[in-house]
Amino acid sequence: MTTTSDFERRLRAADLRVTRPRLAVMAAVESLPHADTDTLIGAVRAELPTVSHQAVYDVLRALSLAGLVRRIQPSGSVARYESRVGDNHHHVVCRGCGAIADVDCAVGHTPCLTASDDHGFTVDEAEVVYWGTCPDCAAANA
């Protein structure tokens, strides 16, 4: 479990001021992986009732730019945020309910992760989203 002092250390290392809204947003993102902005606003307001929507949006943007949180937006979905950064992991998304789970980077023979034509780019990362049906939706449709 990450402590407030861990969040403070991360903020300082990214040259960001330590503020109560930033700490609350970091805690919310960590405790609610892949949450959307409205869910995060609700969690932050449980701790800081007077924080504005705009303040949470601004903090999420600053944390994303600093690399302290990752913003993902699967096709057809609103933006979601996670605290797992820096490891190039991927996601699996349920077509039914929209649930999202982490998938570690592919290993072994991965032909789809090698661009057939890189157009001169130096490729250093691939973003993969796996789509399917989660176990709960599969059971409900059985």
Side-chain angles (χ1 to χ4, degrees):
M1 168 135 183
T2 306
T3 65
T4 300
S5 62
D6 293 328
F7 293 140
E8 290 172 352
R9 190 171 33 260
R10 289 180 197 167
L11 287 166
R12 287 187 182 103
D15 291 325
L16 293 174
R17 277 189 10 252
V18 175
T19 65
R20 291 182 67 210
R22 286 180 177 160
L23 293 171
V25 169
M26 290 180 78
V29 170
E30 178 143 321
S31 67
L32 300 166
H34 311 119
D36 62 24
T37 309
D38 286 341
T39 302
L40 294 172
I41 289 169
V44 171
R45 282 193 167 164
E47 183 178 335
L48 301 173
T50 61
V51 74
S52 69
H53 280 75
Q54 191 60 51
V56 174
Y57 280 107
D58 292 346
V59 168
L60 286 168
R61 183 174 186 278
L63 296 176
S64 295
L65 289 172
L68 297 176
V69 301
R70 182 177 177 192
R71 180 185 187 274
I72 62 170
Q73 190 167 5
S75 180
S77 175
V78 297
R80 297 175 178 266
Y81 297 87
E82 64 182 347
S83 60
R84 185 175 171 184
V85 297
D87 67 350
N88 192 33
H89 69 279
H90 309 297
H91 298 94
V92 60
V93 181
C94 178
R95 291 184 191 278
C97 67
I100 300 173
D102 290 338
V103 177
D104 287 334
C105 196
V107 295
H109 181 65
T110 55
C112 290
L113 297 181
T114 302
S116 61
D117 183 352
D118 62 19
H119 299 277
F121 284 67
T122 301
V123 177
D124 61 10
E125 183 176 344
E127 185 173 310
V128 176
V129 177
Y130 300 96
W131 293 89
T133 305
C134 73
D136 291 341
C137 288
N141 292 327

